[in-house]
Amino acid sequence: MDMNFVFISPQFPHTYWNFCDRLHRNGVNVLGIGDSPYEELEGCLKGALTEYYRVNSLDHYDEVLRAVGFFTFKYGKIDWVESNNEYWLLQDARLRTDFNMNTGTKVDGIERYKSKAAMKPYYAKAKIPTARCHKITTLEAAYGFLEQTGYPVIVKPDVGVGANDTCKLENREAVEAFFAELPKTPYVMEEFVEGDICSYDVITDSRCEPLFESMTVWPPSIMDIVNKKADLAYYTAAEVPGELRKLGRAAIRAFKVKSRFVHLEFFRLTKAKKGLGKAGDFVGLEVNMRPAGGYTPDMMNFAHATDVYQIWADMVTADRRLLPDSKNHHCCVYASRRSCYQYVHSHEEILEKYGQRIKMCEIMPPLMHAAMGEQMYTAYVDDQDAVAEFIRFVHEKKRDAGEQNDK
């Protein structure tokens, strides 16, 4: 197969070598561009790459542009460029535009994927309820919005990754304090919704049809995980509820999600919200045009006894799913710890109790510590009761540490 695929930053997260490996197995020339020295790449990644081009910084677009130009001169026209990383979405789109690639979103279509405010009309097109949103301009305009929604509200960057720089404003004093040090980057204010975050994770073909679907249930507030250094736990469910599947498919059609592995976030209401729905209903939160963060793709593999990396690679090369659907579905749960706390159960006790059910166990990269914790454990279990027990066992703190945390 004469296909040239440029993979941006293939070394991070480190499990992304799997994307490159499956492309390589499918006969693709996988051309990596990154800012890590070649000798520091893992052997499994080196074996999957046809060639690697190191730049001083991936933030320097001219360097990356020259790298793609070099690959074009050496291997011919580049068919795909992809990072599967939120941070590089705009850069990916610029490269597709500059090199006239039609296998992904170009610059003129990226706003609906990056801007939280720009997402709202597409949810409306899909007839998916979403929280009311206001682009922050003046204090007076914000008070006009608050008259409609009441307190609390969430403020967050209009374009941002995860829960970074997100906070909840619960009263007039908090709003005035926020405006007193108003960030220079565009922000949005959104009505507060009480619910669990459930992601619809999907690999689509070129016709916006799903080739793989999964649901992961996240804590109600990733913001608190980051801002309050809370312990993180979440799980990939064995099945996707029918209503979430319906709304997720409507969203990928409205947003025209073609040939991508994406992560769409929904609230599952824990209490009724006027204008949005009753407890248990799903409400659109935001779309992320890349796979779920951290090692969540691996959790999907463990939960569904499949290989999402291969499904994705087959989408790239064949525009269809070649792996059969497994009937062997479980839950897969992630729980992490922080070094600032003392826990009841030791590392060794966790490994002894769960044994072969532990599928991943490692120290997370420092860049992920704020959101993902430090020492992580990932296990597959039979049901949601077992999910809750695993989280309790990993996270149970010694009383003194717990009291310190409360303070």
Side-chain angles (χ1 to χ4, degrees), residues 283-299:
V283 173
L285 174 54
E286 62 184 63
V287 300
N288 299 278
M289 291 298 124
R290 42 76 182 173
Y295 303 144
T296 313
D298 305 278
M299 293 172 62

Side-chain angles (χ1 to χ4, degrees), residues 231-300:
D231 284 327
L232 173 65
Y234 67 98
Y235 70 95
T236 297
E239 303 292 342
V240 181
E243 184 61 20
L244 181 61
R245 191 186 302 270
K246 175 184 173 183
L247 295 177
R249 290 181 177 184
I252 62 176
R253 289 192 295 270
F255 282 91
K256 297 181 180 179
V257 181
K258 298 179 180 180
S259 305
R260 294 194 67 82
F261 191 171
V262 300
H263 170 70
L264 313 186
E265 295 179 355
F266 291 81
F267 284 116
R268 183 168 55 190
L269 298 178
T270 51
K271 64 181 295 186
K273 180 79 172 180
K274 185 177 180 181
L276 293 180
K278 61 183 184 301
D281 286 349
F282 290 98
V283 173
L285 174 54
E286 62 184 63
V287 300
N288 299 278
M289 291 298 124
R290 42 76 182 173
Y295 303 144
T296 313
D298 305 278
M299 293 172 62
M300 296 174 200

Side-chain angles (χ1 to χ4, degrees), residues 268-383:
R268 183 168 55 190
L269 298 178
T270 51
K271 64 181 295 186
K273 180 79 172 180
K274 185 177 180 181
L276 293 180
K278 61 183 184 301
D281 286 349
F282 290 98
V283 173
L285 174 54
E286 62 184 63
V287 300
N288 299 278
M289 291 298 124
R290 42 76 182 173
Y295 303 144
T296 313
D298 305 278
M299 293 172 62
M300 296 174 200
N301 284 345
F302 302 139
H304 304 299
T306 192
D307 185 342
V308 296
Y309 302 106
Q310 188 63 56
I311 295 170
W312 175 85
D314 290 340
M315 174 273 291
V316 170
T317 58
D319 198 26
R320 60 194 178 98
R321 177 168 176 165
L322 301 178
L323 277 182
D325 189 17
S326 170
K327 304 300 180 185
N328 187 21
H329 295 253
H330 299 275
C331 295
C332 186
V333 55
Y334 173 106
S336 63
R337 292 176 159 187
R338 299 182 187 273
S339 58
C340 58
Y341 302 130
Q342 295 182 18
Y343 297 89
V344 170
H345 303 290
S346 69
H347 172 75
E348 291 72 23
E349 287 173 321
I350 294 171
L351 299 185
E352 180 179 356
K353 179 177 175 66
Y354 286 95
Q356 293 185 347
R357 286 184 174 270
I358 297 286
K359 305 303 291 184
M360 301 181 77
C361 170
E362 63 182 74
I363 301 293
M364 296 296 285
L367 190 62
M368 294 183 174
H369 284 180
M372 303 294 294
E374 297 170 29
Q375 171 68 58
M376 71 84 147
Y377 305 89
T378 299
Y380 76 91
V381 295
D382 294 329
D383 53 36

Side-chain angles (χ1 to χ4, degrees), residues 115-263:
S115 165
K116 294 173 176 62
M119 294 175 188
K120 298 296 183 177
Y122 293 92
Y123 280 120
K125 181 179 178 181
K127 299 181 179 178
I128 297 172
T130 61
R132 286 171 288 185
C133 181
H134 163 73
K135 268 193 156 182
I136 288 178
T137 53
T138 64
L139 181 59
E140 291 73 22
Y143 282 139
F145 179 74
L146 283 160
E147 286 180 5
Q148 302 172 43
T149 63
Y151 293 99
V153 289
I154 300 295
V155 290
K156 53 189 176 181
D158 186 37
V159 175
V161 180
N164 293 328
D165 302 315
T166 297
C167 59
K168 182 165 66 171
L169 307 181
E170 305 201 45
N171 51 49
R172 188 182 185 93
E173 291 74 19
V175 170
E176 291 181 354
F178 174 78
F179 271 87
E181 299 184 16
L182 189 64
K184 294 181 180 179
T185 56
Y187 260 64
V188 295
M189 180 178 286
E190 195 169 69
E191 69 176 315
F192 180 72
V193 175
E194 292 188 51
D196 297 320
I197 299 176
C198 299
S199 65
Y200 172 75
D201 299 284
V202 59
I203 299 172
T204 64
D205 66 13
S206 63
R207 298 169 295 279
C208 303
E209 293 295 328
L211 303 178
F212 168 82
E213 298 168 293
S214 180
M215 179 181 81
T216 296
V217 181
W218 306 80
S221 178
I222 296 292
M223 178 179 63
D224 286 345
I225 302 294
V226 174
N227 295 341
K228 299 180 180 180
K229 293 185 178 182
D231 284 327
L232 173 65
Y234 67 98
Y235 70 95
T236 297
E239 303 292 342
V240 181
E243 184 61 20
L244 181 61
R245 191 186 302 270
K246 175 184 173 183
L247 295 177
R249 290 181 177 184
I252 62 176
R253 289 192 295 270
F255 282 91
K256 297 181 180 179
V257 181
K258 298 179 180 180
S259 305
R260 294 194 67 82
F261 191 171
V262 300
H263 170 70

